[in-house]
Amino acid sequence: MKSGPAAKSFSLFDAVIYFALALILLMVLLPCLYVLLSSFSTKSEMLSRGFYLIPRDWTLNSYGYLFNNHNFTASYWNAIKITLGGTAISISVTTLMAYGLSRTWLRGRKAFNVMVLFTLLFSGGIIPTYLLTSQLGLLNTYWALFLNNAILPFNLIVMRSFFQNTPKELEEAARIDGCGEWTLFFRVILPLSLASVTTFIMFYASFYWNSYFQAILFISDSQKQPLQVFLRQIVLESGNSLESVSNGYEYGPPVQMAVVVMASIPMLIMYPFFQKYFDKGMLVGSVKG
């Protein structure tokens, strides 16, 4: 055993910290495990047993019901289209505007920054936004979601701060080599900003995937509504108001759990690939405001 100042002793304080972390971990994992494992239960078991984690009879009935339900598959595909299209538009517009606002040579830069900050604190309101979207003819189109959320002010401010921290020497060297503003942005600034851009790709993707309120506000066509709207319908409505049997698969509480699981899978798959950029992208972008 090592002794002296370099040796780390296990104290009562450490034990309390580990116990608290284990308790928090259990509180986070328990609902997730309950939802996941309950989705493999039968309807009768879930209605009769109450709370449990390990099902007695394992079945894929819930997932069979979902994949044989046209509304589920359509809403899932709609959510994928909204997420991919919205993220591509938002990250493109946000990076371009953040880069412009980070340049000291831009005329009116301070006024634009004040307007961005104003929209962060105050919004136009639901009714004016709906009326404007309606007058533009965007209702029941995905453009209503894309254009109303093209730039989220918080993301823009943090990304602008990141661009302000890029080395000025690299910009000067690129300009001496004859780079124009577009070449400088795409070949010098953007590669250096990979961590920040990747972080906000994850933010925007999560935002669009979980879009619910604006979807029911702007999209009334059930064939265009995303997964979160279907998720609300199937979780909150009673089984009597839904199709009880679909191609031999019975509807019940396990189906509700299965919808939650299916809605969580894309984000759970995406996060590990983006996690290594997350801390760096947020910390570097928040150093200078």
Side-chain angles (χ1 to χ4, degrees), residues 146-163:
F146 297 159
L147 297 183
N148 279 305
N149 303 294
I151 296 177
L152 298 183
F154 173 79
N155 295 351
L156 175 66
I157 291 172
V158 177
M159 192 174 291
R160 181 203 63 191
S161 300
F162 186 90
F163 288 144

Side-chain angles (χ1 to χ4, degrees), residues 203-261:
F203 278 4
Y204 275 120
S206 177
F207 173 83
Y208 280 107
W209 180 261
N210 293 309
S211 60
Y212 161 71
F213 180 74
Q214 289 191 350
I216 62 174
L217 183 65
F218 298 129
I219 301 176
S220 58
D221 186 353
S222 60
Q223 296 303 311
K224 293 183 179 180
Q225 289 177 337
L227 178 63
Q228 301 303 326
V229 178
F230 177 82
L231 174 61
R232 174 192 176 276
Q233 176 189 2
I234 205 168
V235 168
L236 296 184
E237 293 186 4
S238 65
N240 295 329
S241 61
L242 294 169
E243 184 183 4
S244 60
V245 178
S246 176
N247 293 337
Y249 296 102
E250 186 180 20
Y251 172 81
V255 175
Q256 299 174 340
M257 302 299 181
V259 177
V260 176
V261 172

